[in-house]
Each structure stands twice: as structure tokens, then as C-alpha cells.
């Protein structure tokens, strides 16, 4: 039941975290940065700075790769174990909101404007639209038992405009 602070960001928002390879990786923004945090010692270092305003999601991939879903502009970065990143996918949206790696099925990415699930079977190239949810955002993708499950939302604007849910 004890708590302790292991990382404090100077940026205004912590947007994502993933633990892999014995470290905690924390995405913050804007501007979009990833910090590597040694939880035991409490020391952190800037690991990668993206050419984007936001990193909305992180996923651990094969061989120590981190995948980052970015916003403004929308893209997917592959970040190696030394913090070097390269864009492997650019979407015709403003934001990508989720990313998930599965060793058998590949890389899944969720759109943040059109609600599309994109997939790359090898996590390196050839991204294709897999599913159009009909919603605005895919906020999370989970792969379980050979299937991909997507959480989709319509957005706050739709919620306040529905009858009986007016903003007061």
C-alpha cells in the first residue's frame, strides 16, 4: 500500500507508459518526448524526442524496439534500444491514439480522427486499413486468443449533443 513518485515531468501531460527491458518508458508532451526511467534508482533520462506534438501510446516490440503512436502529425515511430527513431507509417489523420504489438499478428494502430484500425503484419511496413469502427477514435487495442479487440469512442462533442445530455 505504499506509494512513491518515480518520475516527474516538466511537460504538461504524461500520455503513455510501457515497461520493457527492465526500464519504464514514459511519453510526455507537448512536445513529444520519451523518457527512460530506472524505477529502482529513480533516475530518468530523455530517451527520444519525436517530431510531433504528442506520443499518445507506446508498445514494446521485438528486439527491444518501442513503437510510438503520434499526433500532430499522425504517425508510428519505431524507436531502437539506443533511442533512435524512424517513422514507419504516416496516416491521413491528425492523431493516432493507440498501438499494440503481437508476435503472431503484428502491429495494430488505432486512428484518432477516423476510428480506423491499421495493421502491419511485420511491424515494419505495408500498413493497411483493417477495420473502420464508424467512431472517431480507437483508444486501445488488445490482442487475445488470436483476435484483435478495439475500444472505440465517438468523442465528447457527440456526447454533449445527444438529446438529454446537453452541457449545463
Amino acid at each position: 500500500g505504499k506509494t512513491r513518485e518515480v518520475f516527474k515531468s516538466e511537460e504538461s501531460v504524461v500520455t503513455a507508459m510501457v515497461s520493457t527491458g527492465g526500464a519504464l518508458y514514459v511519453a510526455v508532451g507537448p512536445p513529444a518526448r520519451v523518457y527512460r526511467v530506472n524505477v529502482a534508482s529513480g533516475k530518468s533520462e530523455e530517451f527520444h524526442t519525436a517530431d510531433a506534438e504528442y506520443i499518445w501510446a507506446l508498445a514494446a516490440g521485438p528486439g527491444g524496439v518501442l513503437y510510438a503512436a503520434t499526433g500532430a502529425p499522425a504517425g508510428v515511430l519505431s524507436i531502437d534500444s539506443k533511442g533512435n527513431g524512424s517513422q514507419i507509417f504516416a496516416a491521413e489523420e491528425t492523431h493516432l491514439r493507440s498501438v499494440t504489438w503481437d508476435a503472431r499478428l503484428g502491429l495494430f494502430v488505432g486512428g484518432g480522427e477516423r476510428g480506423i484500425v491499421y495493421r502491419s503484419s511485420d511491424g515494419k511496413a505495408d500498413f493497411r486499413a483493417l477495420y473502420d469502427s464508424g467512431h472517431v477514435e480507437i483508444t486501445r487495442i488488445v490482442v487475445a486468443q488470436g483476435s484483435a479487440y478495439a475500444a472505440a469512442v465517438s468523442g465528447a462533442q457527440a456526447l454533449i449533443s445527444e438529446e438529454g445530455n446537453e452541457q449545463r
Side-chain angles (χ1 to χ4, degrees):
K2 292 183 181 180
T3 62
R4 72 180 170 101
E5 184 176 275
V6 295
F7 175 75
K8 184 165 179 141
S9 170
E10 291 182 19
E11 293 79 10
S12 60
V13 180
V14 172
T15 54
M17 295 185 296
V18 67
S19 178
T20 185
L24 177 66
Y25 294 87
V26 180
V28 300
R33 290 191 177 103
V34 177
Y35 289 91
R36 180 172 36 205
V37 179
N38 180 318
V39 176
S41 71
K43 293 183 180 181
S44 64
E45 63 182 337
E46 189 173 318
F47 181 68
H48 180 77
T49 300
D51 290 329
E53 287 185 47
Y54 299 97
I55 293 176
W56 290 115
L58 292 171
V65 166
L66 283 182
Y67 293 111
T70 67
V76 176
L77 303 177
S78 175
I79 306 169
D80 68 19
S81 60
K82 296 181 184 200
N84 301 311
S86 61
Q87 184 168 320
I88 59 172
F89 177 59
E92 294 179 8
E93 304 189 42
T94 305
H95 299 276
L96 292 177
R97 295 281 289 141
S98 54
V99 61
T100 299
W101 167 256
D102 180 75
R104 284 191 9 222
L105 298 177
L107 191 63
F108 295 87
V109 183
E113 199 172 59
R114 296 183 179 167
I116 296 172
V117 175
Y118 303 93
R119 178 180 174 243
S120 168
S121 60
D122 64 1
K124 296 178 183 175
D126 296 325
F127 282 82
R128 301 186 190 278
L130 177 67
Y131 174 69
D132 184 345
S133 70
H135 295 279
V136 177
E137 293 183 65
I138 302 295
T139 57
R140 185 75 170 111
I141 301 168
V142 174
V143 177
Q145 300 174 353
S147 296
Y149 299 89
V153 296
S154 294
Q157 192 147 12
L159 291 174
I160 62 171
S161 65
E162 290 178 4
E163 189 174 323
N165 289 327
E166 292 84 12
Q167 187 176 16
R168 297 175 198 254

